[in-house]
Amino acid sequence: AKVLHGLKGARIGLMGHVLEAMYDMHTDPTAVSSAFGLHVPLLEIEDVVRLYNQVTETEIEAKQALICQEFDMPDPKSDPVTRKLTQEDLRQAAHTAVALDKLVETYKLTGLAYYYEGEENSIQRRVATSFIVGNSILNAQGVPMCGEFDLKTCIAMLIMDRLNIGGSFAEFHPFDFAEDFILVGHDGPHHIAIADGKPVLRSLTKYHGKPGSGASVEFKIKEGPITMLGITQTANGKFRFIIGEGESRKGPIPPTGNTNTRGFFQPSTRDFIKKWVMEGPTHHYALGVGHHAETIRKIADVLGIESVIVR
């Protein structure tokens, strides 16, 4: 009931454009409204830039204090593009986080999916590439925020949040065939509520696969059972839930300034991943803690959306 109430009348903003290399992120906002009963306000990057220019020094200082309270800022490790969080990147992250708060309030947003590159050295690029910290704070406050223009996964994150199981923006990363696990995570926004310990902020001299540089969030997911919800579309344009369950286990992860966890799946991770990709998912999904596949399938049934649990 909480999920259905959260979807009904929600306002998931969409800002920017889809990446040419990620057309699986694209979807029709009117189809989203029809299937989920929510509205998709179409926003311009200038909508947040205008609010960014209104932020006061007092607001920046208050947000910096919150960030310092909620995140660790360790020395860099092996990744050559990471360094200890700089004061400049901390201030930039805080400034943009305040602007995002104002954006959510001004447009009465329940969530936001975005991607925007902007001209090099422009204020548009400076703002759009420094959303990450503010996004993670908003995720923890129940406002799902995700990059790469992925409206479908933003909805999956909202569903998980209303189930109180997290809802981080995630995808599959490198595979370890020797130990039979796959790294699960992503750069960008994550749900602090499901972190194992205090999340980490690092400065990246270059973002992974995207323009820009600055503060990036890194944390490990809590050890134990995990659930994944991917929302894809069939050949006739109908939405489809792809649901999976696995286990997060502790172990070394690359200190890249991105969130990762070691994901193990049954009957083997290799077999599970083969079955998962054969269901036609997009490459993103929402990641939560606990095993909740059957609950999410019931939500799909109530919404009249096809679903499959990958086993």
Side-chain angles (χ1 to χ4, degrees), residues 150-169:
D150 192 353
L151 180 59
K152 298 189 292 294
T153 298
C154 196
I155 294 168
M157 292 164 68
L158 175 64
I159 290 170
M160 284 199 166
D161 179 85
R162 298 308 188 260
L163 287 173
N164 296 319
I165 63 173
S168 277
F169 189 50

Side-chain angles (χ1 to χ4, degrees), residues 249-290:
R249 298 182 193 170
K250 288 185 177 178
I253 62 169
T256 59
N258 296 343
T259 289
N260 274 304
T261 193
R262 290 177 168 221
F264 292 79
F265 300 91
Q266 296 297 326
S268 71
T269 301
R270 183 194 300 247
D271 289 339
F272 176 88
I273 297 300
K274 285 182 180 179
K275 292 177 183 177
W276 178 271
V277 299
M278 289 307 294
E279 295 297 340
T282 71
H283 70 280
H284 293 156
Y285 47 81
L287 177 67
V289 294

